[in-house]
Amino acid sequence: MNEARQFIPVRIAILTISDTRTLETDASGQTLADRVAAAGHLLSARKIVKDDIRAIRHVIRDWTNRIDIDAIVTTGGTGLTGNDVTIEAMRPLFEKEIEGFGALFHMISFPKIGTSTIQSRATAGVMKGKYIFCLPGSPGACRDGWDQILQPQLDYTHKPCNFVEIMPRLEEHQMRGKG
């Protein structure tokens, strides 16, 4: 941590992808919402959408066009069953994929659930200057992903580097040739 830097709150949206959950029964989404608030960030939106590629993309496209959202965290739909379509919905939207996110998530999960971590397809990417992080649907996976990856990386005071400090540069490729 770098005490000389001042914390910058990130505006975060949480999307739960599930055919069965409601806001009242969404323990994973609530786990993330509680952690977002406890870390000093702002919860810009929270929603539940069915395991449907078009429905997921509709919300993601809407949220990446909003100026009050810097990052989106999804929970659910990262497994291997036929209904798990979060990754299929997201990957084509990513301008850049953050490959290390899934690798780090597996490293964190392995000591807790062993080889069962292989059934998760946790991933992350960037779209329209916004971060999108896709976590599994269990509250434990959301705790692990937030506590050990997202919380430090979404903290501007975290050293040696963090996602917040490069956020203003995520769309610099669009500035080339302008000027």
Side-chain angles (χ1 to χ4, degrees):
M1 297 300 206
N2 182 345
E3 297 301 324
R5 286 187 171 184
Q6 187 172 357
F7 179 81
I8 299 172
V10 177
R11 300 166 298 185
I12 300 172
I14 298 170
L15 179 63
T16 298
I17 299 157
S18 172
D19 289 336
T20 59
R21 294 185 187 164
T22 65
L23 283 177
E24 295 77 30
T25 62
D26 181 20
S28 297
Q30 190 61 52
T31 294
L32 290 168
D34 292 344
R35 280 171 160 66
V36 164
H41 298 297
L42 306 170
L43 183 62
S44 295
R46 182 172 172 203
K47 187 171 187 154
I48 297 177
V49 67
K50 299 284 185 200
D51 291 284
D52 176 80
I53 291 173
R54 286 185 187 174
I56 295 166
R57 286 181 181 167
H58 177 76
V59 174
I60 295 301
R61 285 183 177 121
D62 177 49
W63 284 359
T64 56
N65 285 321
R66 288 178 48 174
I67 61 170
D68 66 330
I69 295 175
D70 301 312
I72 299 166
V73 182
T74 74
T75 174
T78 63
L80 300 174
T81 72
N83 283 343
D84 292 323
V85 296
T86 299
I87 306 311
E88 289 75 15
M90 297 298 196
R91 275 205 172 120
L93 301 178
F94 291 161
E95 295 159 10
K96 294 192 179 195
E97 189 164 352
I98 306 170
E99 290 89 354
F101 183 83
L104 184 54
F105 183 83
H106 288 299
M107 288 174 54
I108 292 164
S109 296
F110 183 77
K112 297 176 181 190
I113 63 170
T115 59
S116 294
T117 188
I118 202 166
Q119 294 184 33
S120 166
R121 297 182 297 151
T123 193
V126 176
M127 177 184 175
K128 294 184 179 178
K130 318 277 184 185
Y131 292 111
I132 302 172
F133 306 102
C134 304
L135 293 170
S138 74
C142 289
R143 279 191 298 275
D144 291 345
W146 178 268
D147 295 350
Q148 297 186 49
I149 305 172
L150 296 178
Q151 190 279 326
Q153 279 297 298
L154 293 175
D155 185 339
Y156 183 63
T157 65
H158 181 79
K159 284 293 192 178
C161 57
N162 59 74
F163 286 140
V164 179
E165 65 189 333
I166 61 171
M167 208 179 304
R169 297 177 49 212
L170 293 177
E171 291 189 290
E172 67 188 2
H173 64 286
Q174 295 188 18
M175 302 310 274
R176 289 188 193 130
K178 294 181 180 179

